[in-house]
């Protein structure tokens, strides 16, 4: 019963299992449950947080993978990657434990879907390519489209020149609304920048 329950729902706690077994007429301790599961190669581990994927996201990822399946190392070396990231200054990120076997941390049952949210942090923007790191800056105010375009103008283009990117280099950024705004697309067009199409809710491909 224990194995069947945790296989169906890895988020089941030892307390849940104790109560289920008691209702079935069997009295066991949490230690007994842990020992039983460990003998089967299952331990309580922190659940990985992964982007929440809908079927449309899965299809977009598959399309992207097929389109770039034959890209060469030289193709990827010509990409300038970029992203913003929040660095948490204070607070504790909550964790959730699941029962799972080794090397199954990314199975959907063993993960916790996440969405982006606020917190006490600082925001950074940076870029880099296979040739090296570009500029890394702190974003002091709430970023909007105009600020994002100013960041690109003052930091992306100088980074490209410093790293001596080849002619026809490709710019990567995700689908943040500031990145996909009409004014931003127009700015990129006027600068004659080629942008790598990026599937929504995708994990970073940055090294």
């Amino acid at each position: 019963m224990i194995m069947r329950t945790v296989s169906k729902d890895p988020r089941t706690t030892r307390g849940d299992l104790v109560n289920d077994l008691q209702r079935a007429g069997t009295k066991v301790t949490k230690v007994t449950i842990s020992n039983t599961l460990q003998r089967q190669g299952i331990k309580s581990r922190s659940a990985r947080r992964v982007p929440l994927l809908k079927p449309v996201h899965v299809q977009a990822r598959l399309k992207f993978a097929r389109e770039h399946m034959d890209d060469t190392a030289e193709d990827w070396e010509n990409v300038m990657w970029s992203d913003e990231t929040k660095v948490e200054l204070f607070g504790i990120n909550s964790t959730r434990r699941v029962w799972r076997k080794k090397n199954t941390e990314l199975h959907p049952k063993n993960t916790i879907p996440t969405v982006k949210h606020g917190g006490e942090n600082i925001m950074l923007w940076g870029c880099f390519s296979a040739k090296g790191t570009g500029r890394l800056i702190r974003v002091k105010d709430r970023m909007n489209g105009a600020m994002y375009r100013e960041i690109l103008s003052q930091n992306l283009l100088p980074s490209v020149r410093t790293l001596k990117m080849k002619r026809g280099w490709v710019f990567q950024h995700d689908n943040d609304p500031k990145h996909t705004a009409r004014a931003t697309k127009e700015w990129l067009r006027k600068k004659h920048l080629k942008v790598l199409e990026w599937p929504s809710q995708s994990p970073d491909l940055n090294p």
Side-chain angles (χ1 to χ4, degrees), residues 120-158:
E120 190 164 2
N121 53 68
I122 61 173
M123 177 70 77
L124 302 172
W125 177 93
C127 64
F128 64 90
S129 75
K131 295 180 178 295
T133 55
R135 294 187 179 182
L136 177 69
I137 65 162
R138 179 178 178 181
V139 182
K140 295 183 178 180
D141 299 314
R142 185 179 180 85
M143 188 188 294
N144 56 26
M147 182 184 296
Y148 180 65
R149 293 187 291 276
E150 186 69 15
I151 287 173
L152 296 185
S153 178
Q154 295 185 3
N155 299 279
L156 172 63
L157 300 181

Side-chain angles (χ1 to χ4, degrees), residues 43-103:
K43 296 182 179 180
S44 177
R45 309 170 194 265
S46 297
R48 295 288 183 91
R49 295 181 180 274
V50 298
L52 178 62
L53 293 181
K54 298 178 181 179
V56 64
H57 299 138
V58 174
Q59 291 302 315
R61 284 186 178 191
L62 182 59
K63 179 175 179 289
F64 177 90
R66 285 172 172 164
E67 289 176 349
H68 294 279
M69 186 166 54
D70 297 323
D71 286 3
T72 65
E74 186 176 358
D75 292 330
W76 292 112
E77 288 171 1
N78 213 31
V79 177
M80 176 67 87
W81 305 91
S82 75
D83 205 0
E84 300 91 26
T85 187
K86 290 187 294 185
V87 178
E88 301 291 337
L89 299 179
F90 305 102
I92 300 175
N93 292 324
S94 60
T95 59
R96 182 73 182 270
R97 303 190 73 81
V98 295
W99 296 102
R100 65 173 177 82
K101 292 186 177 182
K102 187 177 181 180
N103 298 326

